[in-house]
Amino acid sequence: MGPRALVARSGHKKYNIIRSHLPQTPSTSFHTATVFSSTPSLVTVTEEPDVLYQKVSVLVKGHDRAVLDSYEYFATLAAEELGVNISKVYEPGKEIDRLTLLKSVHIFNKHRVQYEMRTHYRCIELSHLTGCTAQVFLEYIQRNLPEGVAMEVTKTTMEKVPDHILEPMWKDHPVDDKPSQ
Amino acid sequence: MATRTGRSLLCLGRTHIRALGLQNAAGRVTYATEEPANHQSRFTGPPDRRNKGPFAKKPRRNEGQSRAERMSVDQDWTAVYPSAMPFRANTVPLPVRMGYPVKGGVPSQKRGNLELIKIPNFLHLTPAAIKKHCKALKPFCTEWPSALDTDAKCDEHFPIKVESTDYLSAGPSVRNPSARIVHLKVKLSSLNLDDHARKKMLKLVGEKYCKATDVLTIKTDSCPLRKQNFEYAMYLLTVLYHESWKTEAWEAEKTVADMEEYSWEESPSQKNLLDILVRMKVAGEGEGEEVREQLLGRREVQEYKDSVTRLKNEGDSDSTMLQYKEAVKKVFNL
């Protein structure tokens, strides 16, 4: 852990110097393949294997459809620029919450007032992302999330079958004759 | 909506109605801190109020040209709106109108328009700005391995899928307790299971298995952290796997009602068919095991067996009923 921690710290220090020029640069150090030896680089490489996401689904919710339209344009353009695969972009139907309340503070039951809250949705599904790319893209998207808009991100990670499930353990350790409880 | 600014700006004339204000000949902005040439020194006593009265207003300084009017067409817009900022009417050079119009009128102009300030704007995220940001972010991204381009290959090498959700919204707290839920999905065909182990696994798992897609889903939400839930899900999978390979003593008491699939051997259908065929004297005279064995070996009887097994396992459908009908006709020579 020692050398890795040192590398991370130096990456962070270099970032602080360049902060004024690139306000949108993410603040943590990321793993990537190339390291330039001539210029000081913000990028650090570690030995830890990258997580693989088969699907990342970004669902944004808001009260205003026009804001979600613009946000979708921004997110899709950012995905294309960063080389992220967009599998589909669609609009789930809106949900309207309605409630009927009494208009007056006291009595007058026949006079009511009705309110409604409309929630519009937009879903952007991305496929085949690595952990680093997903972190970068999602942080960029989330920092630029407008006011009044909420987001849910569903990530599907792919894992190998762990070693202890490859073979049943009873071959090496035969079962006792007494029945289990 | 004025969400995106293009390169083409409309140069506005001075359309505002400012009957009182004078326009600067040089077109310069006058700042509050600047001192005009003929300004009286500050400390020379109270202002001259002979002609105006006790409540006269201070003369308003000249407004000058707004920033939008002095912008060039090829300027760098990312410098005007580098980050999320509210809408400023004299910074955005677009002739935007917003609001519900009065009767016979048009929506109100952008100057002093609260509706334009209230709505979130994307003026800081023009395509040029997005490209600039992505160019700076690109070195931090990694490539997807090219050997895993189809879903089938991904499933073959990485059969276990773990799903979790992150929530982001404005509120009193950043945390969302639903973020701890983990779904673990795995196809049983990718695990090393023999016949008995597979049947036992299906019985252990029950509702969590989907027969159509052959996917086992384990949903864990009993631990407070996502990492803990993931580890618990992996533990459950391990336990299910190893337990399904075990054969307990009481499994020998499995009855016909517990069987997952119908098997024709030792079933009432086989007994009935052989009784009928023996009584019809199909294989000639004689009773006993040899006759039954011979009958079982016949092609029509095997076809009948296939059709009955298929009917019981797959349910009633046109093709299964047809097959059963043909088999019955063949066995009894109808």
Side-chain angles (χ1 to χ4, degrees):
Chain A
M1 265 305 282
R4 259 181 68 193
L6 275 175
V7 157
R9 267 209 298 273
S10 64
H12 187 71
K13 192 179 87 177
K14 283 178 205 146
Y15 158 67
N16 275 327
I17 297 163
I18 313 207
R19 193 187 179 122
S20 53
H21 301 307
L22 295 169
Q24 298 282 347
T25 313
S27 63
T28 53
S29 66
F30 293 101
H31 331 203
T32 192
T34 56
V35 171
F36 300 106
S37 50
S38 53
T39 53
S41 165
L42 297 170
V43 165
T44 52
V45 182
T46 47
E47 292 305 318
E48 194 185 305
D50 221 347
V51 179
L52 294 171
Y53 292 113
Q54 190 170 30
K55 188 166 93 148
V56 172
S57 164
V58 176
L59 177 76
V60 269
K61 314 196 261 196
H63 291 302
D64 197 336
R65 211 166 157 257
V67 171
L68 293 181
D69 280 336
S70 304
Y71 189 75
E72 174 202 320
Y73 178 84
F74 155 66
T76 45
L77 188 59
E80 277 169 65
E81 291 293 313
L82 288 175
V84 171
N85 234 339
I86 302 176
S87 57
K88 74 175 161 157
V89 179
Y90 63 100
E91 182 180 359
K94 65 179 184 279
E95 280 178 5
I96 307 183
D97 260 330
R98 290 198 176 99
L99 50 143
T100 311
L101 304 171
L102 293 174
K103 205 186 238 187
S104 164
V105 161
H106 181 58
I107 52 171
F108 304 122
N109 208 359
K110 279 194 229 172
H111 302 90
R112 304 213 180 182
V113 74
Q114 292 183 312
Y115 295 105
E116 65 178 30
M117 286 176 287
R118 297 188 177 188
T119 310
H120 300 268
Y121 298 95
R122 209 50 74 97
C123 189
I124 301 169
E125 282 186 20
L126 315 157
S127 60
H128 294 259
L129 284 146
T130 56
C132 300
T133 312
Q135 261 185 331
V136 168
F137 178 72
L138 288 173
E139 183 163 352
Y140 181 51
I141 292 286
Q142 286 165 8
R143 276 184 193 269
N144 289 313
L145 197 67
E147 326 47 80
V149 173
M151 187 200 271
E152 282 174 17
V153 178
T154 308
K155 300 182 200 162
T156 308
T157 348
M158 308 198 307
E159 307 265 332
K160 280 194 174 323
V161 177
D163 293 332
H164 43 268
I165 302 187
L166 287 175
E167 288 292 328
M169 61 195 236
W170 315 117
K171 285 189 182 160
D172 302 327
H173 311 278
V175 182
D176 292 340
D177 282 335
K178 64 175 194 299
S180 67
Q181 285 148 25
Chain B
M1 259 196 57
T3 52
R4 299 177 211 134
T5 54
R7 287 287 167 164
S8 60
L9 303 175
L10 296 173
C11 217
L12 299 176
R14 291 180 200 155
T15 53
H16 300 319
I17 301 157
R18 289 269 303 130
L20 299 173
L22 296 170
Q23 291 158 357
N24 274 341
R28 283 180 63 238
V29 176
T30 49
Y31 291 103
T33 50
E34 232 180 63
E35 297 200 343
N38 52 355
H39 170 70
Q40 289 175 358
S41 167
R42 225 189 271 181
F43 302 106
T44 49
D48 189 10
R49 283 173 176 273
R50 280 187 302 240
N51 300 326
K52 291 178 198 159
F55 299 111
K57 274 197 213 161
K58 221 165 83 170
R60 212 167 157 173
R61 59 181 171 84
N62 297 330
E63 204 183 79
Q65 232 186 350
S66 69
R67 183 178 170 184
E69 285 151 12
R70 282 177 287 118
M71 279 176 177
S72 69
V73 178
D74 54 354
Q75 66 165 347
D76 182 21
W77 182 256
T78 56
V80 180
Y81 263 83
S83 65
M85 291 190 300
F87 181 88
R88 280 185 199 104
N90 51 9
T91 306
V92 177
L94 300 170
V96 181
R97 289 182 168 269
M98 181 137 165
Y100 192 81
V102 283
K103 192 169 158 187
V106 290
S108 344
Q109 56 177 341
K110 65 178 178 172
R111 191 157 169 269
N113 195 333
L114 192 61
E115 296 295 323
L116 281 167
I117 300 175
K118 284 192 313 197
I119 198 84
N121 66 59
F122 283 77
L123 294 163
H124 58 293
L125 291 173
T126 53
I130 299 173
K131 291 191 170 108
K132 232 172 143 183
H133 299 154
C134 290
K135 193 155 156 254
L137 290 173
K138 190 75 188 170
F140 295 94
C141 301
T142 46
E143 283 287 310
W144 180 259
S146 47
L148 292 171
D149 42 359
T150 59
D151 272 340
K153 284 194 198 154
C154 293
D155 288 345
E156 186 199 320
H157 296 284
F158 297 91
I160 297 186
K161 317 276 181 211
V162 179
E163 262 175 40
S164 58
T165 313
D166 297 318
Y167 298 88
L168 189 78
S169 65
S173 160
V174 179
R175 318 280 167 199
N176 190 322
S178 315
R180 73 186 196 284
I181 299 174
V182 168
H183 295 262
L184 190 137
K185 293 193 174 160
V186 66
K187 276 208 168 123
L188 285 190
S189 48
S190 51
L191 296 176
N192 179 18
L193 292 167
D194 73 352
D195 194 43
H196 159 262
R198 195 193 150 86
K199 288 188 175 153
K200 188 164 174 188
M201 170 82 97
L202 293 182
K203 279 209 186 293
L204 283 171
V205 138
E207 282 289 318
K208 299 186 173 44
Y209 175 75
C210 169
K211 207 162 166 195
T213 54
D214 185 37
V215 163
L216 164 66
T217 309
I218 299 176
K219 178 182 166 186
T220 38
D221 59 355
S222 35
C223 307
L225 293 184
R226 187 188 295 166
K227 181 170 176 288
Q228 295 171 341
N229 277 320
F230 168 68
E231 282 165 7
Y232 180 51
M234 292 302 270
Y235 162 74
L236 283 179
L237 183 67
T238 315
V239 162
L240 278 170
Y241 179 78
H242 291 297
E243 284 298 312
S244 60
W245 272 96
K246 247 204 248 181
T247 310
E248 304 280 349
W250 44 260
E251 282 183 42
E253 294 160 23
K254 194 173 180 188
T255 60
V256 174
D258 294 326
M259 297 285 182
E260 295 85 7
E261 279 178 347
Y262 178 79
S263 78
W264 193 71
E265 289 82 21
E266 312 300 325
S267 77
S269 169
Q270 185 196 27
K271 272 203 286 286
N272 289 342
L273 181 70
L274 290 177
D275 284 341
I276 293 171
L277 288 176
V278 163
R279 264 187 277 133
M280 273 168 49
K281 298 190 172 57
V282 167
E285 286 294 339
E287 289 264 338
E289 284 306 311
E290 311 87 44
V291 182
R292 286 178 187 260
E293 293 292 334
Q294 195 190 23
L295 281 171
L296 274 174
R298 286 206 177 177
R299 198 166 48 87
E300 297 91 18
V301 174
Q302 291 296 320
E303 274 181 23
Y304 180 78
K305 167 191 163 194
D306 288 334
S307 69
V308 168
T309 320
R310 196 165 158 230
L311 203 60
K312 290 270 185 180
N313 284 337
E314 289 173 29
D316 297 337
S317 76
D318 286 338
S319 60
T320 47
M321 293 302 284
L322 211 66
Q323 195 185 0
Y324 180 69
K325 177 179 113 177
E326 297 301 318
V328 163
K329 276 169 40 178
K330 279 203 199 128
V331 163
F332 295 126
N333 295 324
L334 294 170

